[in-house]
């Protein structure tokens, strides 16, 4: 069974169809793996093993992922009748009444949900160390962070508990843990996946739903399931030419690829390891026949971006707390929150509606300035993280000056593409001298996940990803 668990989700589904393993055997093996290793990793904060086993009797024949186990992030991804925590004690005991549309699609495809994964409080930082659940540890080195905010999902996939887990990304929260844990993590185009029925959008459109996986084909196949406009959504992404799973086998052609190793914003210091990861990836892409040059959007260096991005996020945090208070029937007091979110909520509450709209309008202009670079290029290559792998505790919860000061440079290569709504994928192409993964990021124009999947699959064939943290 261990050999089957090491397969990706597409491979596990094929093993079930061919009768090499039953759904029950596969699910029971995944549960045993979680029980064996999650004491040290702390990835699953709400197991639902008995319910998952009971649901096996209701699986429909012919579904593409019949019996394949999966974990879902405990932020978004609502499940009917299950607790919803978002990494916060403010939601203790709260259950939701309806599945998120994306969860419904996973169930309809035959996936069996084993539990909900750890996340920082409200997903507002890039390390998964919530006070309510404790830290998730990186399976490559237990002293290191698995990233955030989808750190629980990423650590579980990297350790081999499941082949794929759901995630979300408002400033890098798919790509950063994918990079930290040596995985594939694609942030889709804004509007590609529905936040319904509970929400129309996340973080004023900057947050999108996705997943972390070990292979490009898993990323493509599962995104095909969970994406697509649902009636009532506020907007939709540009239509794709066809299923992303088909793009895995398509050649990308000769692409015009620009790369950036050092962030053009003056507040982001040069870091040698992310730069080395980009240098190696650029050389690989050139060997694959692409036209590669050192070039990037001039707007990436605009110093005002971080101010406006932070203002929009803080306003959304304040609004989320108001919503939670109404949901649970009792206002959220700042004293219930971790210090980081206390500060963000206070900042959000000080801003007016006019302030918020003006910030959104600034981002509208930024989006157009960024997009102009893609008129002459197909893809941007950049670091995923602006800093090297970091240990647990690197973002001290009680020292906000240090914590926020370290976060800005870390997300400098990811958050701009949440603001622009473009698709971006992190690939595991580099290791530090200590063996810790470092991700590199490929960014395409809005709506071009198809191009990213083609290119990522070509890279994976030329440089197969190594997953040495599998347990």
């Amino acid at each position: 069974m261990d050999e089957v668990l090491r397969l990706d989700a597409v491979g596990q589904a094929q093993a079930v169809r061919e009768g090499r393993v039953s759904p029950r055997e596969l699910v029971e093996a995944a549960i045993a793996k979680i029980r064996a290793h999650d004491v040290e990793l702390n990835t699953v904060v709400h197991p639902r093993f008995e319910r998952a086993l009971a649901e096996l009797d209701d699986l429909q024949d012919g579904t593409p992922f019949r019996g394949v186990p999966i974990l879902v992030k405990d932020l978004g991804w609502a499940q009917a009748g299950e607790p919803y925590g978002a990494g916060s004690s403010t939601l203790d005991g709260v259950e939701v009444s309806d599945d998120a549309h994306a969860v419904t699609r996973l169930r309809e495809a035959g996936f069996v949900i084993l539990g909900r994964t750890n996340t920082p409080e409200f997903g507002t930082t890039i390390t998964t160390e919530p006070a309510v659940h404790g830290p998730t540890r990186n399976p490559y080195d237990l002293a290191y962070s698995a990233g955030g905010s989808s750190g629980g999902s990423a650590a579980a996939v990297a350790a081999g508990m499941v082949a794929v887990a759901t995630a979300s990304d408002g400033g890098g929260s798919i790509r950063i843990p994918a990079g930290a844990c040596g995985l594939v993590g694609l942030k889709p185009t804004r509007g590609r996946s529905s936040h319904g029925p509970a929400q129309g959008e996340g973080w004023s459109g900057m947050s999108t739903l996705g997943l972390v996986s070990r292979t490009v084909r898993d990323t493509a196949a599962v995104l095909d399931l969970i994406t697509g406009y649902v009636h009532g959504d506020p907007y939709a992404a540009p239509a794709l030419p066809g299923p992303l799973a088909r793009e895995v086998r398509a050649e990308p052609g000769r692409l015009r690829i620009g790369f950036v190793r050092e962030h053009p914003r003056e507040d982001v210091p040069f870091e040698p390891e992310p730069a080395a990861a980009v240098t190696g990836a650029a050389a690989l892409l050139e060997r694959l026949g692409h036209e590669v040059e050192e070039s990037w959007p001039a707007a990436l260096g605009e110093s005002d971006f971080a101010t406006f991005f932070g203002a929009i996020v803080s306003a959304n945090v304040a609004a989320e707390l108001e919503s939670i208070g109404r949901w649970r029937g009792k206002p959220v007091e700042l004293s219930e929150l971790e210090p980081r979110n206390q500060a963000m909520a206070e900042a959000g509450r000080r801003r007016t509606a006019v302030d918020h709209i003006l910030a959104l309008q600034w981002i509208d202009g930024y989006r157009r300035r960024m997009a102009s670079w893609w008129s002459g290029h197909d893809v941007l290559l950049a670091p995923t993280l602006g800093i090297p792998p970091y240990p647990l505790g690197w973002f001290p919860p009680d020292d906000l000056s240090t914590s926020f000061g370290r976060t800005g440079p870390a997300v400098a290569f990811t958050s701009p593409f949440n603001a622009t709504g473009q698709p971006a994928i992190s690939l595991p192409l580099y290791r530090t001298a200590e063996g810790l993964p470092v991700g590199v990021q490929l960014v395409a124009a809005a709506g071009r996940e198809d191009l990213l999947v083609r290119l990522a699959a070509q890279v994976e064939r030329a440089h197969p990803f190594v997953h040495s943290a599998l347990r």
Side-chain angles (χ1 to χ4, degrees):
M1 280 306 303
D2 195 57
E3 182 180 342
V4 177
L5 282 181
R6 288 175 176 268
L7 297 173
D8 66 0
V10 172
Q12 290 178 9
Q14 183 176 350
V16 170
R17 285 193 300 274
E18 294 174 350
R20 289 185 282 133
V21 63
S22 71
R24 183 167 297 277
E25 290 171 327
L26 186 55
V27 168
E28 287 178 344
I31 290 171
K33 180 83 75 171
I34 294 169
R35 285 176 167 155
H37 297 293
D38 211 35
V39 172
E40 63 177 1
L41 294 178
N42 191 34
T43 69
V44 182
V45 295
H46 174 63
R48 58 184 309 276
F49 300 152
E50 297 308 316
R51 288 189 180 187
L53 290 168
E55 289 166 359
L56 290 171
D57 294 333
D58 299 323
L59 289 178
Q60 300 297 310
D61 291 335
T63 54
F65 288 94
R66 179 174 175 267
V68 175
I70 192 171
L71 291 165
V72 299
K73 182 180 180 179
D74 193 26
L75 179 65
W77 300 94
Q79 295 171 265
E82 301 288 346
Y84 181 85
S88 176
S89 62
T90 63
L91 285 160
D92 186 37
V94 172
E95 291 188 358
V96 296
S97 56
D98 298 299
D99 278 348
H101 292 319
V103 168
T104 297
R105 289 174 172 178
L106 290 175
R107 294 187 194 277
E108 290 175 346
F111 278 109
V112 180
I113 300 173
L114 302 187
R116 301 182 66 80
T117 60
N118 203 10
T119 184
E121 187 177 57
F122 305 125
T124 56
T125 187
I126 61 168
T127 186
T128 302
E129 303 177 53
V132 69
H133 295 304
T136 290
R137 301 182 181 277
N138 192 316
Y140 282 88
D141 187 325
L142 299 181
Y144 275 75
S145 173
S149 63
S150 307
S153 288
V157 173
M161 297 175 185
V162 290
V164 64
T166 74
S168 57
D169 193 317
S173 290
I174 291 172
R175 292 159 288 162
I176 289 169
C181 294
L183 302 175
V184 178
L186 194 160
K187 180 195 81 68
T189 297
R190 176 176 301 165
R192 184 68 70 200
S193 52
S194 175
H195 288 263
Q199 291 181 297
E201 61 181 6
W203 282 7
S204 298
M206 295 195 295
S207 181
T208 59
L209 303 180
L211 59 131
V212 286
S213 74
R214 295 194 293 266
T215 63
V216 175
R217 72 174 186 173
D218 267 8
T219 289
V222 181
L223 282 177
D224 280 337
L225 297 174
I226 65 172
T227 57
Y229 178 81
V230 176
H231 184 67
D233 288 345
Y235 40 73
L240 291 167
L244 289 174
R246 190 175 66 193
E247 304 295 347
V248 173
R249 300 183 297 275
E251 291 296 326
R254 190 168 192 260
L255 302 178
R256 298 163 297 174
I257 299 174
F259 68 91
V260 56
R261 286 177 286 208
E262 182 175 1
H263 202 285
R265 224 171 63 205
E266 292 183 356
D267 64 318
V268 181
F270 174 79
E271 293 286 358
E273 285 177 324
V278 168
T279 299
L284 172 60
L285 292 167
E286 195 165 38
R287 290 196 299 273
L288 290 173
H290 300 293
E291 180 184 337
V292 181
E293 63 172 345
E294 197 160 4
S295 176
W296 58 85
L300 190 63
E302 294 185 18
S303 59
D304 287 341
F305 169 76
T307 299
F308 287 107
F309 180 85
I312 292 169
V313 172
S314 65
N316 276 269
V317 170
E320 184 172 8
L321 296 177
E322 182 68 23
S323 178
I324 289 171
R326 296 176 184 182
W327 188 15
R328 71 180 192 175
K330 181 176 66 174
V332 176
E333 302 294 336
L334 289 179
S335 60
E336 298 179 70
L337 306 174
E338 296 178 25
R340 175 187 68 257
N341 286 314
Q342 290 181 23
M344 295 181 75
E346 287 180 316
R349 289 171 178 176
R350 286 195 300 267
R351 300 184 66 80
T352 67
V354 172
D355 292 334
H356 186 61
I357 290 171
L358 289 174
L360 291 172
Q361 289 175 344
W362 190 92
I363 293 294
D364 287 341
Y366 180 78
R367 185 183 309 117
R368 295 183 189 281
R369 295 191 295 277
M370 287 281 280
S372 64
W373 184 84
W374 271 265
S375 64
H377 296 82
D378 298 300
V379 171
L380 175 68
L381 166 65
T384 298
L385 264 174
I387 62 175
Y390 41 91
L392 293 167
W394 183 248
F395 301 96
D398 297 319
D399 181 354
L400 295 184
S401 177
T402 298
S403 184
F404 285 136
R406 289 174 172 175
T407 301
V411 303
F413 290 102
T414 54
S415 58
F417 306 111
N418 293 89
T420 65
Q422 293 171 247
I425 189 169
S426 181
L427 300 178
L429 293 179
Y430 187 85
R431 298 285 176 88
T432 68
E434 296 75 26
L436 292 167
V438 174
V440 298
Q441 183 180 201
L442 302 171
V443 187
R448 294 307 311 271
E449 288 95 326
D450 58 319
L451 182 59
L452 287 184
V453 167
R454 278 185 231 147
L455 181 58
Q458 182 190 46
V459 168
E460 185 180 29
R461 288 191 294 270
H463 189 287
F465 306 146
V466 177
H467 302 291
S468 53
L470 287 173
R471 278 156 164 72

